[in-house]
């Protein structure tokens, strides 16, 4: 079964001629089409388009004119990454029919390397949520238990990879939106350093926090995809050109002598089974030669307020562009321009998005700016300092990704504050702009996946990938019974 | 801090959101909770702390002043809700004679 293979294994099959890109792509498309009614991982399947791209790749292979070593490999793309000619909804009613006239840089790079796009994955509306329940297209389901959330906001990408509806996927992470769904669905998910991947063509949520990354079923595969999309870009002034030093062939999984910090704040209020699983992996990392030591990230409890003030402020500004004028949904039968803005936005946005626009507008508004937004920016400085102090002593920081395993659909959706607080273990990495990876660390008694997070200093992706590889060796992959 | 419905309305007006009665009520309760919660940041001593609005060292990015293609007008016509004679069409901006 080709859908059970990793990108690395599929590359071997392509190279030996045992499988064609068309065969591989068709198997993934068929499986995706048959499982999607149950899991809702994809908003749009690119059936015809993907088969055409695959046929073109096979033709290139025949001529010996491959675009890269990865030519012909398929993957899925989160629906907030602009794919020219292929609908990009961002999980929102306001972009329900939006077909972008241009490509995001990350997508352009994948195409230039010969990757095939299987489809666009489900997500929380504008990436605002931790479950995919806020999607205009309905929630995605956790393949380990379809009554539970897959996490979010990149829930569809995590589900697609976990259920073998794609071998890998792109996601985006503003406060944990790659790492948390990866943990809930038992796959690998990496958010790189802020600036490592161009954000050009990524629908903006919180521009100082957003970063594109990858999902896969192995650490090597996640690194492979990240390596393809990484790099500076003149169209994103915050992107930074650094050489990629973490290609699968460069990863050793060697943690001998690696100094790993274990912050006590990240183990408070964490379910016993999750805590125990991470502590057990830490012991195994020690056995493999790593040295662990307790550290303190003492301002962790302030990360939630700091994050939600900054993220919503940036969102309220970024989402001002959805006005029904140039693209996207426009409310019908409106007589005056001012009414058009209001009606379009009211009908086009879902509740969580409105809630965050209101919160962000509030904290930026006259009279409240200093006390809320500016104060949060100063709090951000302190959280960054905590990490700087920690990375002066250690190479990597290991923590749980989430406080619990996947919760039930509907459990937290009516209480936004409770939902926000559940992001406590992932948001600090975004505030500090550092890379983080979620790697499977076993399951709880109910069989639900547990994720282990490794955070590193800026541009230290290689260190956290090596550490993740060491964890992967002792954990093994998880496969849901769908 | 408690956020009442009139404050929600003022902020919604700034954000060009036309909230329904149910939403006004729901948001004022929820936002009161959220604002009270985020006020926790007041416990942080930030007297001598500079704000971080970004983590990368932002500097001016210079480039050569060369003309590059931008998105074609025909492509914009395809995505605009209403487009006529090379223009995006909007409802009346200023009231007046027809």
């Amino acid at each position: 079964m080709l859908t059970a293979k990793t990108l690395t294994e599929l590359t071997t099959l392509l190279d030996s001629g045992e499988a064609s890109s068309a065969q591989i792509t068709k198997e993934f498309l068929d499986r995706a089409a048959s499982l999607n009614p149950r899991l809702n991982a994809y908003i749009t399947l690119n059936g015809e388009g993907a088969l055409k791209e695959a046929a073109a790749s096979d033709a290139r292979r025949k001529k010996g004119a491959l675009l890269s070593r990865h030519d012909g490999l398929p993957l899925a793309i989160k629906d907030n990454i602009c794919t020219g000619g292929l609908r990009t909804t961002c999980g929102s009613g306001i972009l329900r029919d939006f077909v972008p006239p241009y490509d995001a840089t990350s997508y352009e790079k994948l195409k230039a390397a010969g990757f095939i796009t299987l489809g666009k994955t489900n997500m929380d509306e504008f990436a605002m949520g931790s479950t995919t329940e806020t999607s205009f297209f309905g929630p995605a389901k956790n393949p380990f238990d379809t009554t539970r959330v897959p996490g979010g906001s990149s829930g569809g990408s995590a589900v697609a990879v976990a259920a073998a509806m794609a071998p890998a996927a792109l996601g985006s992470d503003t406060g944990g939106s790659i790492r948390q769904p990866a943990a809930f669905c038992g796959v690998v998910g990496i958010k790189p350093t802020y600036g490592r991947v161009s954000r050009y063509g990524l629908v903006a949520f919180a521009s100082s926090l957003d970063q594109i990354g990858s999902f896969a079923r192995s650490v090597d595969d996640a690194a492979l995809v990240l390596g393809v999309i990484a790099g500076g870009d003149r169209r994103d002034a915050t992107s930074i050109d650094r050489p990629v030093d973490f290609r699968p062939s460069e990863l050793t999984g060697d943690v001998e002598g690696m100094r790993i910090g274990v912050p006590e704040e990240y183990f408070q209020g964490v379910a016993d089974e999750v805590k125990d699983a991470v502590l057990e992996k830490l012991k195994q990392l020690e056995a493999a030669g790593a040295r662990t030591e307790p550290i303190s990230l003492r301002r962790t409890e302030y990360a939630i307020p700091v994050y939600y003030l900054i993220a919503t402020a940036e969102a309220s500004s970024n989402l001002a562009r959805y006005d029904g004028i140039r693209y996207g949904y426009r409310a019908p039968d409106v007589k005056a321009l001012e009414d058009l803005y209001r009606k379009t936005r009211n009908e086009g946005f879902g509740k969580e998005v409105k809630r965050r626009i209101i919160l962000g507008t509030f904290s930026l508004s006259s009279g409240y700016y200093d006390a809320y937004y500016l104060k949060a920016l100063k709090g951000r400085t302190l959280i960054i300092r905590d990490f700087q102090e920690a990375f002066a002593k250690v190479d990597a920081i290991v923590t749980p990704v989430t406080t619990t395993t996947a919760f039930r659909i509907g459990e937290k959706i009516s209480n936004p504050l409770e939902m926000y607080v559940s992001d406590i273990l992932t948001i600090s990495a975004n505030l500090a702009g550092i890379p983080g990876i979620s790697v499977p660390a076993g399951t709880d008694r109910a069989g639900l996946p547990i994720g282990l997070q490794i955070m590193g200093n800026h541009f230290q992706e290689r260190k956290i990938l090596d550490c993740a590889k060491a964890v992967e060796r002792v954990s093994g992959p998880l496969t849901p019974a769908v | 801090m408690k956020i009442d419905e009139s404050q929600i309305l003022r902020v919604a007006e700034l954000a060009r959101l036309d909230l329904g009665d149910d939403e006004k009520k729901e948001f004022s309760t929820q936002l009161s909770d959220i604002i009270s919660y985020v006020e926790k940041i007041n416990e942080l001593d930030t007297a001598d702390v500079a704000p971080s609005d970004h983590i990368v060292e932002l500097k001016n990015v210079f480039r050569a002043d060369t003309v590059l293609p931008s998105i074609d007008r025909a492509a914009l016509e395809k995505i605009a809700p209403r487009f006529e004679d090379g223009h995006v069409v909007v409802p009346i901006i200023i009231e007046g004679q027809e």
Side-chain angles (χ1 to χ4, degrees):
Chain A
M1 204 166 61
L2 294 170
T3 51
K5 308 258 183 246
T6 62
L7 290 178
T8 314
E9 290 163 346
L10 291 170
T11 305
T12 311
L13 294 176
L14 283 169
D15 286 346
S16 68
E18 284 167 80
S20 67
S21 175
Q23 282 171 321
I24 294 169
T25 302
K26 185 161 188 316
E27 275 205 26
F28 277 106
L29 284 172
D30 288 349
R31 185 170 165 91
S34 80
L35 288 177
N36 211 44
R38 242 189 324 145
L39 299 176
N40 206 17
Y42 285 93
I43 290 173
T44 306
L45 266 172
N46 184 33
E48 223 175 284
L51 289 173
K52 231 184 252 170
E53 291 166 32
S57 169
D58 287 332
R60 285 194 294 271
R61 190 172 289 275
K62 234 182 199 162
K63 281 195 295 189
L66 291 180
L67 296 173
S68 80
R69 289 202 51 228
H70 318 300
D71 199 330
L73 294 173
L75 50 58
I77 296 179
K78 188 178 181 180
D79 212 18
N80 59 351
I81 295 171
C82 284
T83 45
L86 183 60
R87 185 170 72 138
T88 300
T89 70
C90 214
S92 179
I94 213 157
L95 291 174
R96 66 190 81 171
D97 299 314
F98 179 64
V99 178
Y102 70 99
D103 292 339
T105 300
S106 50
Y107 174 60
E108 201 175 73
K109 287 185 168 212
L110 287 172
K111 278 202 303 188
F115 277 90
I116 316 290
T117 303
L118 293 167
K120 303 298 295 289
T121 57
N122 202 356
M123 57 181 285
D124 282 294
E125 182 178 5
F126 283 100
M128 295 178 188
S130 312
T131 60
T132 72
E133 289 169 287
T134 72
S135 169
F136 177 74
F137 301 90
K141 313 283 173 67
N142 192 311
F144 285 85
D145 176 350
T146 53
T147 68
R148 292 179 187 271
V149 300
S153 68
S154 316
S157 288
V159 174
V161 173
M165 301 157 83
L170 292 195
S172 68
D173 190 314
T174 305
S177 284
I178 290 176
R179 291 159 289 154
Q180 184 255 22
F184 278 2
C185 293
V187 297
V188 177
I190 181 165
K191 174 202 102 70
T193 307
Y194 183 84
R196 175 70 91 169
V197 177
S198 167
R199 291 182 294 107
Y200 178 75
L202 170 68
V203 179
F205 159 16
S207 308
S208 80
L209 304 162
D210 297 340
Q211 192 58 202
I212 297 174
S214 57
F215 287 91
R217 284 197 296 279
S218 74
V219 174
D220 275 350
D221 281 5
L224 183 158
V225 174
L226 182 60
V228 173
I229 61 173
D233 179 11
R234 65 170 181 85
R235 295 170 298 189
D236 173 5
T238 63
S239 66
I240 300 166
D241 211 14
R242 284 288 182 100
V244 171
D245 59 355
F246 50 81
R247 292 193 175 79
S249 58
E250 293 169 293
L251 299 178
T252 59
D254 183 6
V255 292
E256 179 74 47
M258 190 182 277
R259 296 163 304 169
I260 293 175
V262 185
E264 52 175 337
E265 295 85 358
Y266 279 66
F267 291 81
Q268 287 159 8
V270 174
D272 285 342
E273 284 182 281
V274 175
K275 201 189 301 182
D276 293 346
V278 173
L279 291 175
E280 191 200 314
K281 293 292 167 260
L282 276 165
K283 272 194 205 132
Q284 289 165 332
L285 286 169
E286 278 177 348
R291 283 179 295 158
T292 65
E293 59 178 279
I295 60 166
S296 173
L297 295 166
R298 59 200 168 94
R299 275 159 306 211
T300 299
E301 61 174 317
Y302 299 102
I304 297 267
V306 165
Y307 173 85
Y308 275 96
L309 285 167
I310 292 173
T312 57
E314 292 186 19
S316 73
S317 171
N318 274 326
L319 270 61
R321 74 191 63 173
Y322 301 99
D323 55 7
I325 304 294
R326 292 147 300 156
Y327 57 89
Y329 174 77
R330 177 185 285 197
D333 307 324
V334 181
K335 298 268 180 321
L337 190 65
E338 272 291 324
D339 296 337
L340 179 70
Y341 298 148
R342 287 194 189 81
K343 264 195 102 181
T344 296
R345 290 164 67 78
N346 204 48
E347 292 170 10
F349 289 139
K351 228 178 215 174
E352 180 60 26
V353 171
K354 289 184 205 172
R355 194 153 38 223
R356 294 202 194 191
I357 290 175
I358 298 250
L359 179 58
T361 307
F362 169 80
S363 74
L364 289 175
S365 66
S366 155
Y368 299 104
Y369 181 93
D370 286 357
Y372 294 94
Y373 180 64
L374 190 63
K375 182 82 180 175
L377 293 183
K378 292 177 178 174
R380 185 174 187 180
T381 305
L382 295 174
I383 287 163
I384 294 170
R385 272 188 208 162
D386 282 356
F387 280 102
Q388 283 168 340
E389 283 165 26
F391 286 121
K393 289 187 288 189
V394 298
D395 299 306
I397 296 171
V398 168
T399 73
V401 183
T402 54
T403 54
T404 64
T405 50
F407 43 88
R408 292 200 185 280
I409 293 173
E411 196 176 317
K412 294 189 180 176
I413 194 70
S414 57
N415 187 342
L417 186 55
E418 200 186 330
M419 190 77 92
Y420 298 171
V421 173
S422 73
D423 296 338
I424 179 75
L425 305 179
T426 49
I427 50 181
S428 295
N430 300 79
L431 290 169
I434 58 172
I437 187 169
S438 173
V439 60
T443 58
D444 67 5
R445 273 185 299 265
L448 297 168
I450 293 168
L452 177 145
Q453 174 171 240
I454 308 157
M455 292 179 279
N457 209 348
H458 295 135
F459 296 102
Q460 299 296 314
E461 278 83 358
R462 183 169 171 171
K463 268 185 200 158
I464 64 171
L465 283 161
D466 268 333
C467 187
K469 217 168 149 159
V471 173
E472 181 179 57
R473 268 181 200 154
V474 290
S475 273
L478 298 171
T479 309
V482 287
Chain B
M1 192 174 110
K2 191 153 166 35
I3 309 288
D4 58 30
E5 281 185 38
S6 72
Q7 275 168 299
I8 291 285
L9 273 182
R10 188 182 71 90
V11 176
E13 178 54 35
L14 289 172
R16 298 296 185 274
L17 284 172
D18 200 6
L19 301 179
D21 285 341
D22 290 355
E23 280 176 329
K24 267 180 258 174
K25 216 186 217 147
E26 190 186 335
F27 284 180
S28 74
T29 318
Q30 289 171 339
L31 285 163
S32 295
D33 288 351
I34 295 168
I35 299 281
S36 303
Y37 176 81
V38 299
E39 281 171 352
K40 189 180 175 60
I41 56 168
N42 291 321
E43 295 166 19
L44 285 171
D45 178 7
T46 55
D48 299 313
V49 179
S52 296
D53 41 24
H54 239 278
I55 67 97
V56 283
E57 279 177 44
L58 284 178
K59 53 180 190 315
N60 264 331
V61 178
F62 293 101
R63 59 169 173 77
D65 187 17
T66 43
V67 178
L68 292 167
S70 55
I71 296 167
D72 198 59
R73 190 183 276 181
L76 297 180
E77 178 168 5
K78 271 195 226 160
I79 58 172
R82 261 191 80 190
F83 197 93
E84 282 166 29
D85 300 331
H87 301 283
V88 171
V89 180
V90 298
I92 297 168
I93 297 174
I94 303 167
E95 294 280 347
Q97 288 145 327
E98 285 292 295

